[in-house]
Amino acid sequence: MNRIEAIFSFIDEKDKVVDVGCDQAKLSKLLLTRNQCSIASDISEKVIKKAKESIKDDRIDFRVSNGLEKINKDEVDTLVLSGMGTHTIIEILSNTKIKFKKIITISNNYHDILREKMNTFGYIVSEEQIIKENNKYYNLILFVPGNKNYSESELLIGLNHKDIDLYKEYLEYLSNKYKIIKKTSEDKNKKVDKMLEIIDKKLKTV
Ligand SMILES: C[S@@+](CC[C@H](N)C(=O)[O-])C[C@H]1O[C@@H](n2cnc3c(N)ncnc32)[C@H](O)[C@@H]1O
């Protein structure tokens, strides 16, 4: 399963979807296979022009928009933010008053900061899934409305993972990565030690 198929698997037919940062609008295209309309938006005029020309289907509502600026609250209840960094995701959510029933993210970095910050916006982790595409791991997170006190381990390596085999493989990859960092770095790094402790503890239970 690739990233776009994984996102699709978290979307129900009745969901009113906006894919922010849609690029080639692959998700909206996949939604069309079950006749589901969606909004595909991107900050880049050039990107939207290209996507519109290649798909040519008026069931996709293409918009040029910085984050959710050009999206109205009644049009959507499900937000997809995939292929951007945590800080961009946080900025987009800081600048909207829209409340979503579901937010699906695939951030490139700082998943611990994302989980923590989403809590302050009123969203908690419902489920997570590791995806492996072109030999790279991606962390999909499904957020739903709520409030939660996370443990340090939950913030750092996530919770409620679907596809436990791939999650285990990802943890083993992380464990090796941090072991190499520890071996090659001259200074004692407390964060690396903490990560290794948490990952190795988790690996004994999954
Ligand atoms: C790497 S692509 C990800 C494409 C697709 N969502 C995916 O996961 O494969 C990131 C896209 O996000 C768009 N983008 C970056 N910042 C944005 C913002 N603030 N608002 C809307 N789109 C943004 C970029 O123009 C680019 O097309």
Side-chain angles (χ1 to χ4, degrees):
M1 188 184 284
N2 66 29
R3 286 177 311 122
I4 304 299
E5 287 163 347
I7 296 169
F8 180 76
S9 75
F10 283 89
I11 296 174
D12 299 321
E13 284 184 43
K14 293 249 156 58
D15 291 346
K16 297 194 280 178
V17 179
V18 56
D19 181 14
V20 170
C22 66
D23 194 20
Q24 300 165 53
K26 287 186 186 167
L27 177 65
S28 290
K29 214 171 155 186
L30 190 54
L31 289 168
L32 287 181
T33 60
R34 63 176 183 210
N35 202 20
Q36 187 167 3
C37 300
S38 60
I39 300 174
S41 82
D42 203 283
I43 197 169
S44 160
E45 214 168 300
K46 217 165 121 190
V47 159
I48 289 297
K49 189 169 177 270
K50 209 169 151 196
K52 229 177 186 172
E53 280 168 7
S54 80
I55 300 179
K56 288 196 183 84
D57 193 310
D58 58 16
R59 288 172 296 172
I60 303 176
D61 183 345
F62 287 101
R63 308 240 179 120
V64 177
S65 172
N66 179 5
L68 292 154
E69 275 174 12
K70 300 276 166 58
I71 314 296
N72 301 315
K73 72 171 176 11
D74 303 332
E75 301 178 298
V76 289
D77 58 22
T78 299
L79 169 64
V80 176
L81 293 159
S82 165
M84 41 182 99
T86 280
H87 290 109
T88 306
I89 294 176
I90 289 171
E91 199 183 325
I92 289 171
L93 286 164
S94 303
N95 289 324
T96 184
K97 290 202 171 75
I98 304 177
K99 294 286 169 222
F100 292 92
K101 69 169 186 187
K102 208 186 256 186
I103 299 179
I104 302 161
T105 65
I106 301 185
S107 165
N108 304 329
N109 54 19
Y110 304 121
H111 298 100
D112 51 339
I113 296 175
L114 181 63
R115 293 181 189 100
E116 192 164 35
K117 191 69 190 173
M118 288 298 277
N119 209 15
T120 69
F121 292 137
Y123 298 99
I124 54 168
V125 175
S126 166
E127 262 186 289
E128 302 200 21
Q129 184 173 352
I130 301 298
I131 302 136
K132 196 175 182 186
E133 198 178 300
N134 298 327
N135 239 14
K136 215 178 143 193
Y137 295 100
Y138 296 90
N139 196 153
L140 179 153
I141 309 180
L142 168 66
F143 290 97
V144 296
N147 205 276
K148 181 176 164 63
N149 284 323
Y150 292 104
S151 68
E152 194 177 23
S153 162
E154 287 174 330
L155 279 179
L156 287 169
I157 55 172
L159 57 154
N160 303 344
H161 275 84
K162 255 174 99 173
D163 197 340
I164 293 300
D165 288 343
L166 202 51
Y167 181 49
K168 202 171 163 196
E169 186 183 313
Y170 172 66
L171 289 176
E172 275 156 3
Y173 156 80
L174 278 186
S175 173
N176 287 331
K177 183 177 126 179
Y178 282 103
K179 275 177 190 145
I180 292 168
I181 294 173
K182 191 178 157 94
K183 223 171 157 181
T184 52
S185 84
E186 297 193 347
D187 305 320
K188 232 183 143 15
N189 187 329
K190 277 194 186 145
K191 181 150 187 219
V192 171
D193 288 342
K194 188 82 223 169
M195 276 305 278
L196 273 172
E197 184 193 319
I198 286 172
I199 293 164
D200 291 338
K201 196 167 161 198
K202 188 78 190 177
L203 271 170
K204 287 191 184 114
T205 64
V206 291

